[in-house]
Amino acid sequence: MRLRENDDGGEKEEVVENDVTLAQNQWCPVVNAGFSSPKRLVVVGYALTTKKIKSFLQPKLEGLARNKGILFVAIDHNRPLSDQGPFDIVLHKLSGKEWRQVLEDYRQSHPEVTVLDPPDAIQHLRNRQYMLQAVADMNLCDSYGIVGVPRQLVIKREACAIPELVNQAGLTLPLVAKPLVADGSAKSHELSLAYEKFSLQKLEPPLVLQEFVNHGGVLFKVYIVGDAIKVVRRFSLPDVSKWEHSKDAGIYNFPRVSCAAASADDADLDPTVAELPPRPLLEKLAKELRWRLGLRLFNLDIIREYGTRDHFYVIDINYFPGYGKMPEYEHIFTDFLLSLGQGKYKKRSG
């Protein structure tokens, strides 16, 4: 185990290492209805922080994975990646230029291994200036609804100029301020709500300003694992009335809103607020974003504009989110890994 500091000087990542060498085409007995049958093992090498391991590799996931013939193996960062395995899948969520280069080199020399996900595609989501561009470019509008993004403005420096820049961009207050860099750290999830134009000078660039959209205080977290989609409700920032806007001034800071709040799935909510987005709309959105982003593990934070039934906004996209909070995540994730591993083996055998 060792600590490695991010390139941007942010939080240090504690990386768990393991020394495991596997035999090529390893097979294992898989228990099924009291009988064991040989089944090719799907080997998943993982490179995750200690925090991610604790939240994701829970005993219920590892136990189910073993029963399905999936083996999780920690990647040893003290040894060349090509000398380890062999792996069917490499699952990762680490940052840093050095690690990205290691993965890119490995992908080039081991095209038969599925890397979840390509490091260059992940980098696209680490900058909120570009994060939502794929959604905006889709201009999704069909009989099930409209999906867009809030109007936003990127501020990279000179906080004193923010009021004038907001005025030139024609943005309407209140505004949600988010750090420009979305690197998974606690700071990157901190939000501020600005009610008054001149108080914007108190913000600390680089950041993104998004127009606040009233949404009934509820957002929908749409988890995507390959082709699978799972939606949960989370409490969010409360709506802002014109009266409240007129009497409030200044900047209000919030923690990581949707994750800090309790689930809203069992709450007694207004049906017009609680109704989940139409499934066909989410499937179309997810399918298109998988292609545009080049990712298979991500989630969307979606809100419905209050007073409408079919007008939605994507306000954030996260790579490899907290799947441990997703209902039935162990079944969905193991089925996904199994389909990848067995699909690759069938191609090699065909």
Side-chain angles (χ1 to χ4, degrees), residues 59-135:
K60 59 183 180 180
L61 173 66
E62 291 193 286
L64 184 61
R66 281 194 299 271
N67 288 338
K68 290 185 176 183
I70 302 170
L71 177 65
F72 288 101
V73 179
I75 290 173
D76 184 348
H77 290 262
N78 290 321
R79 298 170 53 205
L81 186 53
S82 293
D83 292 348
Q84 301 178 60
F87 302 123
D88 295 291
I89 299 166
V90 169
L91 185 65
H92 70 99
K93 192 178 184 182
L94 296 179
S95 60
K97 292 180 181 178
E98 182 181 351
W99 171 247
R100 291 200 301 272
Q101 190 59 54
V102 167
L103 273 183
E104 285 295 352
D105 293 343
Y106 182 78
R107 291 180 69 215
Q108 294 297 320
S109 59
H110 293 77
E112 77 282 1
V113 179
T114 300
V115 175
L116 296 173
D117 272 310
D120 286 347
I122 297 169
Q123 280 300 109
H124 189 79
L125 294 187
R126 292 184 179 273
N127 189 321
R128 286 194 169 97
Q129 179 174 357
Y130 311 111
M131 176 190 288
L132 302 180
Q133 190 59 50
V135 180

Side-chain angles (χ1 to χ4, degrees), residues 14-293:
E14 189 178 5
V15 181
V16 174
E17 298 168 345
N18 192 16
D19 186 5
V20 177
T21 302
L22 300 166
Q24 183 71 38
N25 295 329
Q26 184 168 351
W27 296 72
C28 73
V30 177
V31 177
N32 183 16
F35 298 95
S36 63
S37 58
K39 191 172 186 178
R40 186 180 180 279
L41 202 63
V42 176
V43 183
V44 181
Y46 65 89
L48 307 171
T49 63
T50 302
K51 180 180 178 182
K52 194 68 176 178
I53 291 172
K54 184 177 180 180
S55 66
F56 175 71
L57 284 179
Q58 297 179 23
K60 59 183 180 180
L61 173 66
E62 291 193 286
L64 184 61
R66 281 194 299 271
N67 288 338
K68 290 185 176 183
I70 302 170
L71 177 65
F72 288 101
V73 179
I75 290 173
D76 184 348
H77 290 262
N78 290 321
R79 298 170 53 205
L81 186 53
S82 293
D83 292 348
Q84 301 178 60
F87 302 123
D88 295 291
I89 299 166
V90 169
L91 185 65
H92 70 99
K93 192 178 184 182
L94 296 179
S95 60
K97 292 180 181 178
E98 182 181 351
W99 171 247
R100 291 200 301 272
Q101 190 59 54
V102 167
L103 273 183
E104 285 295 352
D105 293 343
Y106 182 78
R107 291 180 69 215
Q108 294 297 320
S109 59
H110 293 77
E112 77 282 1
V113 179
T114 300
V115 175
L116 296 173
D117 272 310
D120 286 347
I122 297 169
Q123 280 300 109
H124 189 79
L125 294 187
R126 292 184 179 273
N127 189 321
R128 286 194 169 97
Q129 179 174 357
Y130 311 111
M131 176 190 288
L132 302 180
Q133 190 59 50
V135 180
D137 291 344
M138 287 175 59
N139 195 27
L140 180 55
C141 177
D142 63 17
S143 59
Y144 292 102
I146 301 170
V147 180
V149 300
R151 291 202 301 165
Q152 68 176 35
L153 175 66
V154 176
I155 306 293
K156 294 187 176 180
R157 58 183 182 274
E158 299 178 358
C160 61
I162 295 179
E164 180 57 29
L165 292 173
V166 167
N167 186 55
Q168 291 176 5
L171 295 188
T172 302
L173 281 89
L175 297 173
V176 179
K178 302 179 179 181
L180 184 62
V181 176
D183 58 5
S185 65
K187 183 174 178 59
S188 70
H189 290 284
E190 292 177 352
L191 305 180
S192 299
L193 190 61
Y195 286 87
E196 189 267 327
K197 183 168 64 174
F198 293 102
S199 63
L200 295 170
Q201 299 176 70
K202 299 177 183 178
L203 296 172
E204 298 181 10
L207 53 83
V208 168
L209 296 175
Q210 287 182 352
E211 285 188 333
F212 180 78
V213 178
N214 280 338
H215 52 282
V218 172
L219 67 77
F220 306 100
K221 295 195 81 71
V222 182
Y223 292 96
I224 295 165
V225 182
D227 294 332
I229 300 173
K230 193 78 172 179
V231 188
V232 297
R233 301 177 188 85
R234 289 284 185 270
F235 286 112
S236 179
L237 299 178
D239 288 349
V240 177
S241 69
K242 291 183 178 180
W243 180 81
E244 288 174 323
H245 185 191
S246 66
K247 74 182 184 67
D248 280 322
I251 304 289
Y252 294 85
N253 298 315
F254 298 90
R256 186 173 182 172
V257 178
S258 66
C259 287
S263 168
D265 281 330
D266 299 323
D268 184 16
L269 299 171
D270 181 340
T272 61
V273 171
E275 182 182 6
L276 296 177
R279 186 77 183 184
L281 184 69
L282 294 181
E283 289 175 348
K284 186 174 183 178
L285 176 62
K287 181 179 180 180
E288 185 71 15
L289 285 179
R290 277 194 298 268
W291 177 76
R292 288 176 180 262
L293 298 175

